[in-house]
Structures are given as C-alpha cells and as structure tokens.
C-alpha cells in the first residue's frame, strides 16, 4: 500500500494492513514475539510501520525535485521542537482510528503507546516550535525544502523542581532507539576551527584549521498532509575525525589522547551552552559554525549534483533562511567557499551569497542579537573574521556609491565586537519580521538606520502554526465537532474555519463547543493530578500562561495579580467568586538568576495558596515540571484563558497565542506581537485588552519614578509586593525574594507595576464574562472561527512568494 492508499482506504483494510505490519516489525525488526513485548516495543513497531509508508512519499518527492530541477529552500535553525513524530505521522497519514483498532487487536492501548515516545530534545521554546511547524507546512503545501540543525544529545535540559527551585538535568531522548532517523555517512562533513591563514603563490588565502571534527548527517522524513509530499530534517552530530590518539596515550597523556573525541562530543551535547564564561562562549560559537558550515557544504554538494558546477546560478535554485542570528556565520562561510575553493572574487562572492540568504529577526531586545568578541573570532575562525572585514568594506563602498555614509549603528565590527545581527542584515536579500507590529518596530528601532539605507529589504511574514498538530491531532473533541459542523475543508485550508460564523449564534452548537472544551479540561485535570498533585475542578476557569520564563513575558505580573486575588478572597470569603485554576509552565535559562527566582516564587506562592482552606473551590495554582511540546498538547486544548501579557514592544510575535485562540481560548493581553493581529481578527469585544502600548511604554520608562508612582497608586499591588518582600511566601527565609521586590520598586524596566491595575481590571472582566456560560462559549468559538489566517501554511506560501521566489510542487 502507498501512503495515498492508506489515507484514502477503508478502515477495515487499513486496520488489517497495520496489524500485519506491526506484527512483522515486532518480529523481524525488533526481534520480539508480540506476547512478550514491552510498551516501548509496541511504540517502535507502530513507528516503523508508519515510517515505511512515509518513505515511499519521501523518495517520490526527492525524485521529482531532481527530475524537474525545482528550487530548494533550506531552513537553518539551532532549534527544531518537533515533539512526538508518531503523532504527526498518524495525523497526516489519516490513520488514527486504524492505529487504535490495530493496537487494540493486540490488547494494547493506543494512547499509552503513543505517549511512550519521548519528545526530541532539539529546542527550547517558540523559535524551535516555529521551525517545526514551518517544516510540516512546507511538506503539506509541496515545497521542496530541508531543515538543518544539530542532533543534540541532551537538548536544553530536563526541568524538575527541588523545594520549588528549578533543577536542570540532561534530557535522555536518545537513550532509546529512534525509529525515525536515517544515518547518512556518505554525506558527512569535516569542519575545522582555529589554525592559521597564509597566501598561496597566486595570492589567494589558504586557511589551515588547527583542529577538526566530523559532522555526521542524520535524516528524518517530515511528512505533509495526506503524505502527498515529504521533506527532510537533516541533523548534524559531532564526531571525532580521529577516534583515539594512540601515540599520545602511549606517552602517558591519557586525557590528551581523547581530546579530539571530547571536543566532538561536547559540540552536539547540549543546546545553548552557558556563555557566561570564555570557554562557554567559544563552545557556543564553535557549535554554531559546526552546524552552519556542514549545512552550507551539503547545500552546495546537492546543487552541483543536480545543476552542475556553475555556482553563479545558486540564487536561481537555492534559498537559505537564517532562523535568527545563530546561523549567521553561514554568510561568511558561503563567501569563503566561493572565494577560496571556487575562484570567485570577493565582491562577486558576496553578491552571489546575498542572492541566496535571507534572515528572520525574532527579537527587538539588543542583548538577544548575538555579538562575538573579535579576539574570539580571530582565534576560532580567522578566515571568517577576515571575510567579515571584507564584507564590511563592501557595504561601505556600496553605500558611498549611492552617496550614503553609514552610521555607527550599521557597522559590522564595533568596539572589539562582531555584530551578528548587522552581518545577517547586510548579507540578506530579505529581512523579515514575524508580526506586523514587530516588523514596524524593527524599522523604527533596532534596524532603523539599516531601513533608511535599504528601504525595500525589510518585509513582514507573520508567524503561523500547523493546524494538523495544534488542532486536528491535539484536540479530538473540537476536531470532531468541526468535522460534524462544517466538514473537513478546514483541515487543508484553515481559512475555512470562517464557515463556523453562522453557527456562533446557535445555542445547540455553542453547548457542544462548551462540552468539547470541558472534555479537554477533564483530561488536563487528570494529568495535573498525576504530575503535580493539584486538584483542578474542570468547571473552574482554566487560566494558562505557558512559555519561556523571562522578565519581559511577565509571569510575575500574573503572579502578583494571583496574590492580590488571594488577598481579596480572604477578605471577603462569602462573595460569589469565580473558581479559577492558574496554570504556569516554562523553563528559565540556567544562567538567568532572576527568572529562576520567579520560578521559585511561583512555586512558593502556590504552596501557600493551595494549602489555604479558604481557597478550596476558589483558587489554585499548578506549575507542572518540564514543560514541552507533549505537555502543550494537553494544556492548550483545555485552556479557557490565554495569558499573553508581555510588555508591549518586546514580544516579536508569539505562536502560543495563535494555538490558544485556535483551540477556543480568548486572550488576555497587551498590544504586543501577533496579539495585535489576533485582536483585529477576533474583534475587540472578544479579546481582553489591557496595558500600555509600545509607544506609551517608551514614554513611561522616561519617568524615573514610574514604578514608585504605580505602586503608590495601587493598594493591592503595594500589599502583594510587601508580602513577597517580607517573607509571607518564604517563612524560612524572609529575604529570599528581596531582589524581585526591589527590582519592581526601583527599576521595573518591563513595566509590571505600571500595567498592574489595568491587568487586574481586565481579569475582573474575565470573571464577569465567565459567569455567562453560553456567552463565554460564543466568545471561545469566535476565536476558533476567526483565526484561520494563523495557519503556518499561509505563512510558508507567503515566504515562498515574497522571500524565496520558490514554487510549490502542487
């Protein structure tokens, strides 16, 4: 059976086929009799059965690209949060019910088998999940594409809580067999660092690296909707070019004998090694160069194989997207290969590379735009540092030819630092923001001077999410209601969710919508009980903030309001309070001390509030450990309220906001990132707006007493901060949270205090709206009906048309 046969075949035939395949894989691939198989064996048998069906589509897609000479898109990203691939495969092959019945025939529970697959530890947050959504959409719309990243042994880290503090431990996702990947030793690349440069007899630069590692290629097929097209995620694992130095070992240098192997293992061990030390910074730079250099060489090898040796034609057949600044070193690497290995003049190489490269900016925070010291660059990548100087000189000459002198903000090298955001901008054909507001602010702030010099370079590509994972797969109750109400057209064209509009006034439909939400809330309640011990009433309002822990995302604003809410209930326990479950999720970077204190504060506040007998049936707080994609798939469908409360002007886009709205959760939020576009689409009446605008936030910060004034004007805020500072939530250490309190009182750059009262008022509007179940269901369903525009299919079609000039296969 082909993938198309499976997705279109009848249920009886599909069940019979899968049953035979699972039994065969169990015996001849796993080497186990079904009667003695473990849950992990069943997971592998199912995955191998599905994978082999996907491979047919994969090979056909690759063959068509070669035969038709199609332009390829290459997406370079440090992160790919792909989650459980078994879920994607089952959804896009249309085999959920067949898989359930086939496993049931062996006495196995489908949900338990699927849950046995570990999340791939390949990312941290929104950046990596966006990359995963984009790859799935590229395959679903038939765009010839490859993703490139690092095959991390341990990813970011596994989060646990010890007495409320975040504790980091290695992820172990590769300890168990990965059925999805194919090792490609024929495509391995040797990557060098350090060493020296010299000129050959013709005057051309020759770089001789001082150390080398092997980039080993591993491919994972990424199947699109109905398996009509399948693309590839290629991940690079670092391995030594020489396994063991026997001579050094025999001389007694036992550690030195394994030095190269140690470097190689370190390069692909963890995501974002701690860069607070010089050794950490060097490792991170090497890691970024390792994967981008391997990817660029792989891209060029594929181009030669399909289109010949004339690399001047690269822009016609290749588009490379740099996902944030992490892969920016790909620009001088491509220039280096064109110049040093293919005889290009430097200016021609730069112009050719610019025709290929594009850059996605994800932040307006200056500290998030990478900078490397020039001394580190000269030590690790001397040839690339020289070429960055040449690129800077080229940019100067290009602008002077137009009568433009470059302001210092556009320099590539400044005060002993190489500015990677500037390098990415200069070397990109197009630079895109990820929401309308973010793109506008890029032009006005972080890249203002660049925009004046190159007014046509910045474009907007508002983010999207794949509806296959974030609605079809993760929310069966809502999916089934949508299929019953408007058919299945929305599964391929999410814009057709607007067909729900006539049903938004139908009380019978709204009652079904509310019932679907409650079914998801029951599932989440059970999950929270197991994970946290917290009892969450499914009839309470589920108020959710799940994202990376960072001051600008303002989890502490949410928590301050929770404390104020707790105080209000204690003062008036007999009032008719709306029951509320506040759910947090997310990790803090290991070196981010204040963010880790915020995690501890959330857990300490939760301990006090959850133990208060007056709060029973009124307010509880849950913070499950180790938030990841699989956790999000349980939490998001059950959310009643989506917390998108970042300081206006700081969030580039967000994608969690889109997932929540798609699954019927109204937003409480600021006019930040894609919140602006969500509110425009769903309507102001169905969005709980609060807070300063981006422009007002800039003006507010100019007032030196803005925090003190806001606290003085708000008794509820004043009380909550005083409780934090005085040890109400930390009786064993009254000064534990003094840093958070003092930050709010004296500094408060992210304007938590300035927005507090407006946020609290918005929360009371939420309470009043939730008192009317049918009206709340209408509001929730309106969010689902009107956010089809946030499909990543739409985003990728726009990239293909406006950035990559690439055609889809169908």
């Amino acid at each position: 059976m082909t993938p198309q046969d499976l997705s279109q075949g009848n249920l009886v035939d599909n069940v019979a086929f899968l049953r035979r395949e699972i039994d065969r894989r169990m015996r001849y691939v796993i080497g186990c009799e079904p009667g003695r198989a473990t849950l992990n064996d069943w997971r592998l048998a199912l995955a191998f059965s599905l994978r082999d069906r996907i491979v047919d589509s994969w090979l056909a897609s690759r063959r068509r690209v070669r035969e038709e000479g199609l332009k390829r898109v290459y997406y370079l990203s440090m992160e790919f949060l792909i989650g459980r691939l078994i879920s994607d495969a089952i959804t896009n092959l249309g085999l959920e019910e067949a898989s359930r019945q086939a496993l049931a025939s062996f006495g196995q529970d489908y949900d338990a088998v699927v849950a046995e697959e570990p999340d791939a530890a390949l990312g941290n947050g929104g950046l990596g999940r966006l990359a995963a959504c984009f790859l799935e959409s590229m395959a679903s719309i038939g765009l010839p594409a490859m993703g490139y990243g690092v095959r991390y042994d341990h990813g970011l880290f596994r989060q646990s809580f010890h007495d409320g503090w975040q504790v980091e431990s290695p992820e172990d996702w590769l300890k168990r067999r990965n059925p999805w990947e194919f090792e490609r030793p024929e495509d391995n690349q040797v990557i060098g660092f350090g060493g020296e440069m010299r000129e050959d007899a013709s005057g051309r630069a020759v770089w001789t690296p001082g150390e080398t590692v092997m980039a080993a290629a591993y491919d994972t097929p990424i199947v699109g909707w109905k398996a009509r097209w399948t693309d590839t995620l290629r991940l690079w694992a670092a391995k030594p070019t020489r396994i063991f130095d026997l001579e050094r070992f025999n001389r007694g240098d036992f550690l030195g004998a394994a030095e190269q192997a140690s470097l190689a293992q370190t390069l692909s061990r963890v995501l974002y090694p701690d860069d607070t030390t010089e050794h950490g910074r060097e490792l991170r730079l090497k890691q970024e160069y390792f994967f981008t250099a391997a990817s660029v060489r792989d891209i060029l090898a594929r181009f030669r194989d399909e289109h010949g040796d004339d690399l001047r034609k690269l822009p016609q057949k290749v588009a490379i997207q740099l996902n944030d600044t992490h892969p920016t070193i790909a620009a001088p690497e491509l220039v280096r290969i064109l110049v040093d290995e293919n005889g290009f003049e430097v200016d021609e190489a730069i112009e050719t590379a610019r025709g290929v490269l594009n850059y996605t900016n994800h932040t307006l925070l200056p500290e998030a735009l990478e900078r490397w010291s020039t001394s580190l660059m000269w030590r690790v990548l001397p040839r690339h540092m020289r070429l960055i100087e040449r690129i800077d000189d080229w940019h100067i000459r290009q602008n002077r030819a137009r009568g433009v002198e470059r302001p210092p903000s556009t320099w590539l090298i400044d005060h002993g630092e190489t500015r990677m955001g500037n390098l990415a901008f200069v070397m990109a054909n197009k630079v895109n923001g990820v929401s309308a507001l973010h793109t506008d602010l890029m032009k006005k702030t972080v890249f203002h001077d660049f925009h004046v010099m190159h007014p046509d370079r910045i474009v907007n590509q508002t983010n999207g999410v794949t509806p296959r994972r974030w609605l079809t797969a993760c929310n069966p109750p809502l999916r089934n209601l949508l299929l019953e109400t408007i058919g299945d057209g929305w599964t391929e064209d999410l814009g057709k969710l607007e067909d729900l509009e006539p049903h938004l006034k139908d009380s019978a439909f709204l009652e079904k919508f509310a019932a679907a939400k409650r079914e998801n809330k029951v599932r989440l309640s059970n999950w929270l009980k197991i994970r946290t011990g917290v009892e969450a009433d499914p009839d309470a309002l589920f108020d959710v903030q799940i994202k990376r822990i960072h001051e600008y995302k303002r989890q502490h604003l949410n928590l301050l309001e929770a404390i104020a809410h707790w105080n209000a209930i204690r003062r008036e326990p007999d009032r008719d309070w709306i029951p509320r479950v506040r759910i947090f999720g997310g990790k803090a970077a290991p070196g981010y001390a204040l963010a880790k204190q915020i995690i501890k504060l959330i857990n300490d506040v939760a301990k006090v509030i959850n133990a208060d007998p007056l709060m029973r049936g009124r307010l509880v707080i849950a913070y499950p450990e180790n938030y990841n994609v699989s956790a999000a798939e349980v939490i998001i469908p059950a959310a009643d309220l989506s917390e998108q409360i970042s300081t206006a002007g700081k969030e580039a886009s967000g994608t969690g906001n889109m997932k929540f709205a798609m699954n019927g959760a109204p937003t409480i939020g600021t006019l930040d990132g894609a919140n602006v576009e969500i509110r425009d689409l769903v309507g102001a009446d169905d969005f709980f707006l609060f807070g300063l605008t981006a422009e007002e936030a800039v003006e507010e910060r100019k007032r030196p007493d803005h925090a003190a004034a806001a606290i003085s004007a708000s008794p509820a805020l004043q009380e909550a901060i005083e409780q934090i500072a005085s040890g109400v939530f930390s009786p064993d250490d009254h000064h534990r949270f003094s840093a958070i309190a003092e930050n709010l009182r004296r500094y408060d750059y992210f304007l938590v205090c300035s927005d507090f009262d407006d946020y609290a008022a918005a929360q009371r509007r939420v309470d009043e709206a939730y008192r009317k179940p049918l009206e709340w269901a209408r509001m929730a369903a309106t969010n689902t009906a009107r956010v089809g525009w946030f499909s990543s299919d739409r985003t990728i079609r726009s990239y293909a048309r406006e950035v990559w000039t690439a055609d889809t296969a169908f």
Side-chain angles (χ1 to χ4, degrees), residues 412-453:
L412 304 192
I413 304 164
D414 184 36
H415 291 89
E417 290 185 322
T418 305
R419 302 159 74 174
M420 304 307 279
N422 287 6
L423 176 61
F425 194 105
V426 167
M427 288 302 296
N429 181 47
K430 294 293 182 184
V431 176
N432 72 277
V434 289
S435 72
L437 176 64
H438 170 233
T439 303
D440 184 56
L441 290 174
M442 278 173 58
K443 296 176 181 178
K444 294 176 179 177
T445 58
V446 66
F447 289 136
H448 172 264
D449 291 333
F450 273 120
H451 179 58
V452 171
M453 296 163 66

Side-chain angles (χ1 to χ4, degrees), residues 197 205 207 336 339-340 378 381-388:
M197 289 190 306
W207 174 37
R336 185 193 70 78
V339 173
D340 294 357
W378 279 115
L381 298 170
R383 178 57 177 147
H384 299 77
M385 189 64 229
R386 177 64 57 81
L387 285 169
I388 291 169

Side-chain angles (χ1 to χ4, degrees), residues 530-565:
I530 294 169
R531 295 284 292 266
T532 70
V534 170
E535 299 273 4
D537 178 2
D539 293 317
L541 189 154
F542 280 21
D543 176 350
V544 181
Q545 186 176 16
I546 46 175
K547 51 184 75 242
R548 179 166 51 96
I549 307 298
H550 196 291
E551 290 170 87
Y552 90 82
K553 294 179 183 288
R554 302 201 295 190
Q555 284 88 357
H556 47 330
L557 172 59
N558 186 344
L559 191 65
L560 283 164
E561 206 283 321
I563 295 169
H565 189 190

